[in-house]
Amino acid sequence: MDRKTEQDVDFEGFSFDAFDEARRPSPQTTGFDQVVDSALSRRGLLGLLVYGSGAAAMGLGTGVTGLLSSVSAEAAASRFAFAAIPIATDATVHVPEGYTWQVLARWGDPLFSDAAEFDHATGGDAATSDRVFGENTDGMELFTIGGRQVIAVNHEYVNPKLNLPNNDGGTPASAEDVRKLQNLQGVTVMEVAEGEDGWRIVVDSPLNRRIDHNTQMRLSGPAAGHDLLKTEADPTGTASLGTFNNCGSGRTPWGTYLTCEENFNGYFGSTDEAVALPEHFKRYGIGAKSVYSYEKFDPRFDISKNPNEPHRAGYVVEIDPSDPSSVPVKRTALGRFKHENAATVLTRDGRVVVYMGDDERGEFLYKFVSAGIYTPGGDTSTLLDEGTLFVARFADDGSGEWVALTPEATGMSAAEIAIFTRVAASKVGATTMDRPEWVAVNPVAAEAYCALTNNTRRGVKPNAGGDDTPVGGPNPRAENQYGQIVRWYPAGDDHAATGFTWDLFVMAGNPTVHQDAYAGSPNIHDGNMFNAPDGMMFDTTGLLWIQTDGDDDNAGDFAGHGNNQMLAGDPATGRIERFLTGPHGSEVTGLTWSADRRTMFVGIQHPASPFPDGEGTLGRSSIVAVKRADNAPVG
């Protein structure tokens, strides 16, 4: 196959994985047989045994028993208040019998009465594009503020061919085009309310707010003020504009929203194709060509003019949804990488733990532990600035450790660790993972989960830092195209502990096509198949909701997988059932609940036309509200 370089590729409409692939193409020949031969000799037919605090052993080889559980079949069935649904391949949403869904918000829906109504012919009004619900909805959380229900939701990226339908290929042709794309990304904070006709946006609510690529931000933590964060526009290195590629999310115990900057590298390019790039740009995938051509019309994104600007992106950003005038804060102590989400939990002594995945093939899983104690009603302004960042090392025997990223361990300053976190993690020998996406913490048990969505380079090619990607441990399959979910149990049931044990909750696969490890784990069968687990969230009862962003061609290795979907998993039994299917072409991502838990809000990202408005319309990313017909709690 002809491997194109980044100079040969038109990045418009590209996925960010494809963007990374063009930057770092895989070798022509993968050597798959040689890779797995060594793995088989070490592990024996990939017969990975998993460990955990009372967790069941799970085998992937011939003759190994399936998931074991002391929970009765009747008790297991009672955990699922729905009948599992089949796959779908059409252009709409499906939920189980006894449930209903409606659209709450669509790209272009007004948040304020002065915004223009959405026009499919133009991709929406440019002048008021910062006054509407943005593009490509992703992670979200619902907050109750003074009796109002407020959703904060990410807008991960844009689809220029839809947003600028009258441009050649959607390519920006002016500064106005670039500003429109910038406005449609970032975060929406919006009040929602349920009436006789269902859920709706409360237009003109005093809590409604758009945060985009030009919103004033503050930098805090160990990197704030460092020379690498200083620019001509901000010589202090403590203020920046905008938040980028907002993927997953989280919430703090004190009621603020955490939005996570993921594929920020694609926003920066150079008008000087011969520009000499710093060596560290390579580790973060920053090159002379961007995805959206911002650099042609906005010099802030031109690395030949502003080489420090990319250092000001790639962080977790804290937003106060109760105060529309507040300035969002980029918390550099939580590291700079392609953040997927930020899952928070308290330690036994009240410190704050934030679990985070770096969503690129062969990158790492992290946690931050605050130095200070969270006290309800107390000062929280520095809790996410002062503490220790750790990275995970997994052993094949089911044990693991969190390794502190300190100046002593890495030979780097605290600011350098915050800015070049991937480099620091490589220095301490962290375990390269299969694209760590969302982390979810069980509210009723001392355990946490991470979706490892896929990694076609596993056992084939090192990561961008040159770290090997061996087959084994929590990444047991070479050229992994299906993904898995790893689970860990902190020592002493305390998330502050540096030791843990781990197992695999599920390995996605296709048992109708494969009879080996690529069939998946024993809790996968022809009625619940999926690929590329991505978003994850626990409900208050301890059910794990799994959302997918995978191949929906429904053919070949993915035959029988259908469209992307949301499933529910029971940690106690390993049982997994399909609850919702999205329209063709979409990713199902982002999940939260109404205050009374009687409505589940689910994100539908980049659906193929004509969802949700019907034939002849543009596909519009949306949030749908799912309810039970009997109005009982959902999850």
Side-chain angles (χ1 to χ4, degrees):
M1 160 175 158
D2 180 26
R3 302 277 180 177
K4 294 183 178 180
T5 67
E6 82 175 83
Q7 286 75 26
D8 300 322
V9 175
D10 173 12
F11 289 128
E12 296 295 344
F14 247 42
S15 71
F16 282 96
D17 270 353
F19 182 74
D20 289 337
E21 180 66 30
R23 286 268 159 89
R24 298 182 58 247
S26 295
Q28 293 274 5
T29 303
T30 64
F32 174 79
D33 291 336
Q34 292 89 337
V35 171
V36 296
D37 280 349
S38 62
L40 290 173
S41 65
R42 292 194 311 272
R43 306 189 62 77
L45 198 59
L46 288 174
L48 175 65
L49 288 179
V50 292
Y51 302 81
S53 305
M58 180 174 71
L60 303 179
T62 304
V64 184
T65 60
L67 288 170
L68 307 175
S69 175
S70 61
V71 180
S72 70
E74 292 80 10
S78 69
R79 295 276 285 143
F80 293 81
F82 64 92
I85 65 173
I87 65 167
T89 58
D90 57 10
T92 190
V93 169
H94 295 275
V95 293
E97 182 178 358
Y99 290 77
T100 62
W101 68 272
Q102 66 163 141
V103 174
L104 166 68
R106 302 161 295 179
W107 155 42
D109 283 349
L111 301 174
F112 302 94
S113 56
D114 60 0
E117 291 293 331
F118 186 77
D119 181 357
H120 287 270
T122 64
D125 177 51
T128 58
S129 53
D130 60 346
R131 310 282 285 172
V132 301
F133 188 78
E135 256 280 50
N136 284 315
T137 175
D138 208 300
M140 58 180 157
E141 295 281 351
L142 184 139
F143 301 87
T144 301
I145 301 170
R148 303 171 186 259
Q149 297 193 64
V150 176
I151 291 178
V153 56
N154 292 342
H155 301 292
E156 185 178 10
Y157 60 99
V158 283
N159 300 300
K161 291 180 181 179
L162 302 182
N163 315 131
L164 303 170
N166 298 318
N167 289 29
D168 181 21
T171 303
S174 66
E176 182 185 44
D177 287 346
V178 166
R179 181 56 69 98
K180 179 179 180 180
L181 298 183
Q182 293 174 336
N183 286 346
L184 292 174
Q185 298 174 75
V187 176
T188 287
V189 180
M190 62 183 183
E191 183 182 351
V192 298
E194 187 176 22
E196 293 183 359
D197 297 329
W199 286 92
R200 60 180 177 83
I201 299 171
V202 179
V203 175
D204 292 326
S205 166
L207 293 172
N208 289 357
R209 183 183 188 187
R210 279 302 319 279
I211 297 166
D212 56 37
H213 288 180
N214 292 285
T215 300
Q216 186 67 49
M217 304 271 156
R218 179 169 68 86
L219 292 154
S220 72
H226 192 277
D227 286 347
L228 286 170
L229 269 60
K230 296 176 181 178
T231 65
E232 184 177 350
D234 170 33
T236 71
T238 60
S240 68
L241 295 179
T243 180
F244 307 99
N245 208 256
N246 302 83
C247 190
S249 59
R251 65 189 302 143
T252 64
W254 50 94
T256 57
Y257 182 65
L258 300 178
T259 183
C260 300
E261 298 183 322
E262 190 189 27
N263 292 295
F264 64 90
N265 58 308
Y267 294 92
F268 300 95
S270 174
T271 54
D272 176 7
E273 294 184 359
V275 63
L277 301 178
E279 178 62 26
H280 60 259
F281 273 19
K282 183 184 299 183
R283 184 65 193 269
Y284 284 88
I286 299 164
K289 190 171 183 179
S290 71
V291 173
Y292 302 124
S293 302
Y294 281 9
E295 69 276 10
K296 297 178 182 178
F297 304 99
D298 187 340
R300 181 158 60 103
F301 297 89
D302 188 341
I303 55 178
S304 68
K305 299 175 181 177
N306 289 290
N308 276 354
E309 195 66 40
H311 301 148
R312 296 148 68 86
Y315 300 103
V316 173
V317 184
E318 185 177 10
I319 298 169
D320 182 356
S322 70
D323 181 3
S325 66
S326 61
V327 176
V329 183
K330 295 195 173 190
R331 300 291 185 183
T332 68
L334 276 59
R336 174 173 167 265
F337 45 86
K338 292 185 177 180
H339 286 274
E340 181 68 19
N341 82 315
T344 62
V345 65
L346 295 178
T347 65
R348 285 186 174 274
D349 62 2
R351 286 175 290 160
V352 181
V353 173
V354 186
Y355 286 113
M356 301 165 287
D358 184 354
D359 182 12
E360 189 171 321
R361 288 166 287 197
E363 291 298 338
F364 307 119
L365 179 65
Y366 299 87
K367 79 170 180 179
F368 171 84
V369 182
S370 69
I373 302 297
Y374 166 63
T375 303
D379 180 19
T380 60
S381 61
T382 62
L383 281 180
L384 299 183
D385 288 339
E386 299 168 356
T388 304
L389 188 62
F390 296 82
V391 68
R393 282 204 300 234
F394 291 80
D396 285 2
D397 66 359
S399 65
E401 62 175 329
W402 293 101
V403 182
L405 297 179
T406 63
E408 296 74 20
T410 63
M412 302 166 66
S413 69
E416 290 171 332
I417 292 168
I419 298 169
F420 303 124
T421 311
R422 287 179 168 180
V423 176
S426 291
K427 284 178 177 287
V428 300
T431 300
T432 58
M433 306 293 282
D434 286 349
R435 286 187 58 198
E437 300 232 27
W438 285 65
V439 178
V441 181
N442 194 333
V444 299
E447 59 186 27
Y449 296 64
C450 181
L452 304 176
T453 195
N454 56 46
N455 185 1
T456 55
R457 294 178 179 175
R458 170 63 55 185
V460 173
K461 186 176 182 179
N463 69 8
D467 303 312
D468 289 336
T469 58
V471 176
N475 312 285
R477 293 177 293 188
E479 298 185 276
N480 173 23
Q481 62 183 337
Y482 291 120
Q484 63 267 10
I485 297 175
V486 64
R487 166 173 55 186
W488 63 95
Y489 311 84
D493 291 342
D494 188 354
H495 288 281
T498 57
F500 62 89
T501 55
W502 66 270
D503 63 19
L504 291 177
F505 174 64
V506 64
M507 291 181 63
N510 195 326
T512 69
V513 174
H514 299 284
Q515 303 303 312
D516 55 10
Y518 299 93
S521 48
N523 53 343
I524 292 297
H525 52 79
D526 60 4
N528 70 355
M529 294 187 297
F530 63 93
N531 68 90
D534 189 332
M536 291 195 307
M537 187 78 72
F538 273 99
D539 65 26
T540 55
T541 72
L543 278 184
L544 178 65
W545 296 86
I546 304 164
Q547 301 175 313
T548 71
D549 179 23
D551 191 307
D552 63 358
D553 286 345
N554 199 38
D557 283 339
F558 305 99
H561 283 207
N563 293 347
N564 280 299
Q565 56 194 277
M566 184 168 74
L567 311 100
D570 185 351
T573 65
R575 180 183 173 192
I576 297 172
E577 300 286 3
R578 186 180 298 111
F579 176 81
L580 176 149
T581 58
H584 184 71
S586 72
E587 170 188 354
V588 179
T589 183
L591 175 63
T592 192
W593 284 265
S594 61
D596 62 8
R597 317 295 290 184
R598 298 180 191 279
T599 303
M600 169 189 282
F601 299 104
V602 183
I604 304 295
Q605 187 186 101
H606 60 73
S609 181
F611 184 85
D613 297 334
E615 291 300 326
T617 63
L618 299 175
R620 299 169 70 183
S621 293
S622 304
I623 296 175
V624 298
V626 179
K627 292 182 67 70
R628 283 178 55 159
D630 61 5
N631 205 32
V634 183

